[in-house]
Structure formats: structure tokens, C-alpha cells
Amino acid sequence: QRSSNELYLRCQEFGCEQSLLSRPDGSASFVQGDTSVMAGVYGPAEVKVSKEIYDRATLEVLVQPKVGLPSVRERSQEQCVRETCEASLLLTLHPRSSLTLILQVLHDDGSLLSCCLNAACMALMDAGLPMSCLFCGVTCAISTDGQIITDPTAAQEKESRALMTFAIDSAKHSVLMSSTKGSFSVHELQQCIAVSQKASEKIFQFYRDSVKRRYSKSL
Amino acid sequence: ASDVSVLWLPLPRSLLTCRTAEPLEYHRSFLKENCRPDGRELTEFRTTTLNIGSISTADGSALVKLGNTTIICGIKAELANPTVEAPGKGYIVPNVDLPPLCSSRFRPGPPGEEAQAASQFIADVIESSEVIKTEDLSIDRGKLCWVLYCDLMCLDYDGNILDACVIALLAALKNTRLPEVTINKETSAPEVNLEKRWELQIHKHLVSASFCIFDDSILISDPTAEEETLSTAHLTVVTDEDDRLCSVHKPGGTSLSGERLQECISRATTRQREIQKLIAKVAHSVKKAQ
């Protein structure tokens, strides 16, 4: 059981692997407890004339669910991930090019959107795309008795009164993206943002450790 | 190229900015004076007009005009079997349609990302806020329930469709009158009485307020289509009459500080009061006319 004072993340159960696929320019797999997402990045590559932007790269995000075809829910997740990536990538360095980010859901046990964001960030890093800052995803759930749980499992999400996912950037620790479900008060929102900002520090430290581990092998 | 340099006149830059050639500079020159090209203040919303019950063949309908943005909502109720997970509840299926009619950026064919993301947003808002209790839509537990198909179609796209969709949906739900259904005890078949109708009970009056961030620092409310394309981030806050937040939707973009978020939430609560009064006034006048 988790108490409300303890900031518990499934940190011990975080796992990340980069460059695991041979075809994409960058790839990463991110595991949070039982939730696991694989990301692949292609780019900068040629872009269709109908989609090209004269001064920036065109970023396209595709979220593939584990079973079935992408539906309306995946489209809204794609919009969230795409606009978060566009805010942190330096798109003006690759005008008239396309960047494609594909996220494949391998298993969903809660906190799916934040796992997708984390996998996306690691894949973009692996592809060597220029970014102004890193970002991470944190999910908070407010249970029926008012407790704030970070990184909830699917069972905890189902019993919660409200569910919020934030994308936090590494430079200013501010909120880049916010997606909420359920009703809550303003005070609860501010508490969850503060909790997410604290949790993001642990995730950024995890990014640093996994990249360090990866490059220490080749040195 | 040499011709252009001969014609260049040393006029002050502000007189040279053209709306179509340099839209960002054009908007910036207004924002410096704390106003916008259409004369509004930074936190001002466009004039909202509402028309309820315009579609006679639908069970409930509403037409909303937010400045130039026009959204029409039609609600059709059908009988269906309830889902296995929730046998005592009915369900609502919203669908936002952005046809090529409303703007040149939408092409004919399957719904694009913006329409699908808007549909998902409306579905989440309905679920989060519990605007109507889905138990009210159940007729016979496990066997029969009402399903409400809410179709929101944009007729004119001038930015801020999410706000207009939420207002249209709320007004249409208030206008919805469902026929009474009785189950015949012998044949156990449903009998629909189209003459006797009952009104849906609206539990929460939810209203959304959209903002966008310009140049990472300036916050403007109710953006037009041009302002939306030039802005660096969007934010939509949905509140109900108890000042509880049903949704804080910020799909990426540049970051937002805590104070700015607080400003948006306070503006959203004031907007909620305005729209609730407007909907009550229009619904009352429709009732008096009937």
C-alpha cells in the first residue's frame, strides 16, 4: 500500500533500451512496471509536397495499439505526443524534411500516455535529433479518498476519481502537456503538478543513468 | 531583385507590416498595445449567440455562433442493448465533424486528426463531468437502454471549435426530450410513446474556455483561426458550476507557468457563469414560446 506522503514511482521497475531496432534511425523501448512501449524514429527524411513546411521539419506521430487498428483515442494521444515533441525539438534546423515517430504499445497496465512520452524522448535522443530540452511523462491519479498516486497501474486508474498526465521539460521543470480525465478542484490540480515536477527529476536521472550505462560499454 | 531595392522606401516598419505577408509581425504590433486585430481585449471572448431546437427531426438540437465560428449539434436517441460492463447504464456517442465546407484546410474523406481529437475530447469531458447520469438512460437493466448520438458539425471554422462544441452540446442536451418507453409484460417488447416525452436532467453545467499562448509569454483567450495557427501553445479549461475542473487540456506546445494557469482558470470560471446565464435565458424563451 502506498501512503500519500511517500512519492512512489515504479522507479525500481523502470527499464529502457536504446538502438534495439536496425531499420529506424533511432529506437527505444521503455518499460514502466508492466506497461511497455517501443518507439522508432525515422528522419530527417524526404517529405511529401502536400505536407512540407518551408521553414521547419514536419513531425508525424503514429500510435499503434496492441490489438486492433488505431481508433479515435489513439488520434488524441498522437496529438498530445506530437505537440510535446514539436515544442522540444529544434525543427527549424531541418526545413522541408519529415520526422516520423512510431509508438507501438506492447503492453498496457496503466500510465500509458506517460510511458509513450518517455519512449518517444529516448528514441529522439537515440536518433540524434537536435532538441532544446528533454521531456518526460508523469501520470497522477487521485483516489476516491483524496490520495495522490503517481504512476498508477490499470487497476488503480479504474478506481480513481481523476487521472492526469503531464509532460514536464528538463530545462525549467514546467508543464509542456496536460491531459486530464475526471473532475477535480484547482487545489488538487496544483498539488498534482507539484508532485509530477518532483517525480520528473527521478525520471531525468534515470535517463542520464541509462545513457551513461550505454555509452560506458563502448568507451 | 534589383528592381525591389530601387522601390524600397524608408518608411517606419509598423506601416509596412501586411496581414498576409507577415502575419506574425502584424499580430505582434497589436499585442504590443494590449489589443487584437478585431478590437478585442486579450481576455475578451467573442459575441456568443445560441439557437435551440432548430432541427425538428432531431430529439434535441442547438446552433452556436462564437464570432464567426458556427457549430450545430443534433442529438438522436436510439434504443440499444447496454454494454456488458455496465448493464444498468445507457451511453452517449459524440462525434465532431469538420467538413470541407467550414474551411479550406479540410479535405473530403475520412475524418482528420483534428476532428478525431476533438471527438475524443468531447467524449472525455462528458464522462469526466457526468453532465447527465447514464443511469437515467437505462430502461430495462441488462436488456434495453437509450443511446444518444450527438453529432456536432462545424459550418464555419474561425478558431476555438472546442468551446463552441461544448456550448452546443450542453444546449442540445437541455433541449433533448426522449419519448417514454414501456415494456409490454406479455410480449416483453418495448412500446415507444412518441407523444409523451420527458426531459433529460442536466446535473452539471459545464463550459469550456480556450486560450492560446503567443511568443511563449502573451496569453489570449478565444483565439480566431489566424491566431491559432500563429500561437505556440493552446490550452482549454472546462469548469462546472461548483468551480470544479472537468478537464485541463493542453496538447503540448510551449510551457505554461503556474500563475498563467491560475489566470486561465479564473477567466474560465467567469466565462462559465456568463454561458450558464445565456443558456438558461434561451431555454426559458423557447419554453415560453411552446
Side-chain angles (χ1 to χ4, degrees):
Chain A
Q1 276 305 318
R2 303 169 185 188
S3 79
S4 56
N5 295 327
E6 218 176 83
L7 181 71
Y8 186 88
L9 268 177
R10 289 186 266 181
C11 260
Q12 291 94 310
E13 303 152 37
F14 272 11
C16 170
E17 208 189 319
Q18 289 182 304
S19 291
L20 57 158
L21 301 172
S22 62
R23 311 291 314 182
D25 297 319
S27 56
S29 157
F30 206 87
V31 179
Q32 273 178 226
D34 280 331
T35 308
S36 137
V37 173
M38 190 177 288
V41 177
Y42 290 92
E46 205 172 305
V47 67
K48 264 195 222 161
V49 185
S50 56
K51 290 196 197 153
E52 83 174 359
I53 306 174
Y54 74 98
D55 62 344
R56 295 162 51 224
T58 312
L59 175 65
E60 207 184 308
V61 177
L62 286 148
V63 174
Q64 307 278 12
K66 182 167 144 192
V67 182
L69 289 167
S71 73
V72 185
R73 177 168 297 136
E74 276 75 38
R75 291 277 172 267
S76 98
Q77 288 173 340
E78 284 171 15
Q79 185 193 37
C80 289
V81 174
R82 195 193 70 235
E83 299 211 11
T84 312
C85 295
E86 280 180 358
S88 51
L89 283 168
L90 297 172
L91 295 172
T92 47
L93 291 180
H94 297 284
R96 294 201 173 89
S97 311
S98 85
L99 301 171
T100 314
L101 171 66
I102 297 122
L103 294 156
Q104 173 68 56
V105 177
L106 299 171
H107 193 258
D108 180 9
D109 187 38
S111 307
L112 182 66
L113 186 56
S114 50
C115 193
C116 286
L117 285 163
N118 293 333
C121 187
M122 299 243 66
L124 291 171
M125 264 201 280
D126 188 47
L129 290 168
M131 296 204 270
S132 61
C133 63
L134 299 178
F135 56 90
C136 73
V138 185
T139 307
C140 286
I142 304 179
S143 64
T144 38
D145 52 4
Q147 261 190 35
I148 297 177
I149 306 170
T150 45
D151 212 18
T153 58
Q156 286 169 328
E157 277 186 0
K158 228 172 154 191
E159 287 167 22
S160 64
R161 168 163 56 90
L163 189 70
M164 304 182 215
T165 305
F166 299 110
I168 312 280
D169 79 308
S170 61
K172 290 181 280 184
H173 289 278
S174 54
V175 175
L176 284 177
M177 189 276 292
S178 152
S179 169
T180 68
K181 245 188 125 168
S183 76
F184 43 92
S185 67
V186 183
H187 179 63
E188 284 171 340
L189 173 72
Q190 287 164 337
Q191 270 185 311
C192 285
I193 291 179
V195 163
S196 305
Q197 284 168 328
K198 234 177 111 189
S200 68
E201 287 168 28
K202 290 202 180 169
I203 302 180
F204 289 131
Q205 187 56 45
F206 175 75
Y207 283 1
R208 233 170 268 132
D209 292 340
S210 57
V211 174
K212 209 191 287 185
R213 203 172 358 111
R214 181 184 161 213
Y215 286 110
S216 68
K217 286 189 202 146
S218 53
L219 284 172
Chain B
S2 53
D3 292 349
V4 174
S5 57
V6 164
L7 290 166
W8 185 80
L9 298 160
L11 279 174
R13 193 161 169 74
S14 54
L15 287 177
L16 281 175
T17 48
C18 168
R19 189 171 194 160
T20 41
E22 284 182 338
L24 195 55
E25 280 304 318
Y26 179 79
H27 279 84
R28 272 192 195 134
S29 59
F30 281 92
L31 288 171
K32 257 200 295 226
E33 313 295 321
N34 264 345
C35 72
R36 288 143 83 170
D38 52 5
R40 283 189 284 157
E41 296 282 324
L42 296 184
T43 53
E44 206 182 312
F45 279 76
R46 287 173 283 185
T47 344
T48 316
T49 46
L50 182 61
N51 186 321
I52 298 186
S54 36
I55 305 176
S56 54
T57 48
D59 296 304
S61 61
L63 173 75
V64 173
K65 269 178 86 83
L66 186 63
N68 282 330
T69 301
T70 311
I71 300 266
I72 186 156
C73 175
I75 299 188
K76 286 290 273 185
E78 282 182 15
L79 293 170
N81 296 327
T83 55
V84 182
E85 297 95 34
K89 297 184 180 183
Y91 46 101
I92 310 176
V93 181
N95 183 44
V96 176
D97 191 16
L98 299 173
L101 168 72
C102 62
S103 166
S104 58
R105 63 163 93 171
F106 304 116
R107 310 268 74 203
E113 191 199 80
E114 196 172 341
Q116 293 195 48
S119 302
Q120 184 63 38
F121 172 76
I122 300 288
D124 285 339
V125 158
I126 293 174
E127 209 189 307
S128 305
S129 62
E130 291 189 353
V131 54
I132 62 176
K133 285 237 150 52
T134 43
E135 288 87 0
D136 295 345
L137 295 174
S138 170
I139 302 165
D140 190 9
R141 192 190 158 87
K143 296 203 198 101
L144 202 65
C145 70
W146 282 115
V147 54
L148 295 179
Y149 289 106
C150 309
D151 293 303
L152 294 130
M153 183 174 286
C154 180
L155 301 173
D156 195 348
Y157 187 99
D158 195 19
N160 203 2
I161 45 159
L162 294 179
D163 279 10
C165 282
V166 173
I167 301 174
L169 181 71
L170 185 65
L173 283 172
K174 268 200 117 136
N175 177 240
T176 304
R177 312 192 75 231
L178 298 177
E180 273 205 6
V181 182
T182 44
I183 309 282
N184 191 321
K185 290 229 169 25
E186 289 108 58
T187 59
S188 72
E191 282 170 7
V192 180
N193 187 347
L194 290 169
E195 307 309 312
K196 253 180 114 185
R197 286 179 180 257
W198 56 281
E199 264 184 27
L200 270 178
Q201 202 196 356
I202 309 291
H203 292 265
K204 295 276 159 75
H205 290 86
L206 44 96
V207 174
S208 92
S210 293
F211 305 88
C212 71
I213 302 171
F214 236 86
D215 277 344
D216 303 350
S217 50
I218 309 171
L219 191 75
I220 56 178
S221 67
D222 192 12
T224 60
E226 217 181 299
E227 287 167 351
E228 272 186 352
T229 44
L230 297 169
S231 63
T232 50
H234 305 111
L235 169 69
T236 305
V237 179
V238 182
T239 47
D240 67 14
E241 66 263 35
D242 303 322
D243 287 348
R244 286 185 72 80
L245 300 167
C246 306
S247 175
V248 174
H249 184 246
K250 182 182 186 293
T254 51
S255 59
L256 190 68
S257 69
E259 305 90 54
R260 289 291 180 169
L261 183 60
Q262 197 50 52
E263 265 178 56
C264 294
I265 294 175
S266 354
R267 188 71 191 86
T269 33
T270 356
R271 177 80 175 151
Q272 200 274 333
R273 310 272 183 266
E274 289 166 22
I275 295 297
Q276 194 175 348
K277 258 192 252 169
L278 172 70
I279 293 182
K281 195 173 83 177
V282 179
H284 185 70
S285 64
V286 166
K287 265 214 190 77
K288 268 207 323 207
Q290 276 175 351

